[in-house]
Amino acid sequence: VLGRSETGASQFLATENPLNLGYAGRYGIPAENANFNFILTGRIQSSSSIITRSAPGIPPNPGGGIEAVINAGDFIPTSFYMP
């Protein structure tokens, strides 16, 4: 656990960098959660089931970005970055 984030149980993975302009809107992230103070990159276990979908919106952010959804524990972090 890092702050309020359960990094070891990551299940919702974006296909783009959260520092990209408009990211919070495309991924339906509320303003109070859009202070991205770290970024994890990694890989998914080879036996993992992966579902891709449009990210749901949380008003006023519309969502719609492509995200991958996996089971908790199937994400293996390979790097940690603090902008």
Side-chain angles (χ1 to χ4, degrees):
V1 175
L2 182 62
R4 296 182 335 206
S5 299
E6 294 188 41
T7 56
S10 299
Q11 289 184 270
F12 304 96
L13 310 174
T15 59
E16 65 177 283
N17 187 323
L19 300 179
N20 289 346
L21 186 63
Y23 176 89
R26 287 188 296 282
Y27 287 87
I29 299 170
E32 63 269 16
N33 295 341
N35 60 337
F36 306 114
N37 52 7
F38 69 92
I39 299 169
L40 280 178
T41 61
R43 63 183 183 83
I44 300 169
Q45 290 192 33
S46 60
S47 60
S48 180
S49 296
I50 303 168
I51 297 170
T52 56
R53 66 178 188 180
S54 293
I58 296 176
N61 291 328
I66 304 287
E67 71 178 4
V69 182
I70 62 172
N71 293 319
D74 284 354
F75 177 74
I76 302 164
T78 58
S79 73
F80 178 86
Y81 171 71
M82 293 183 80

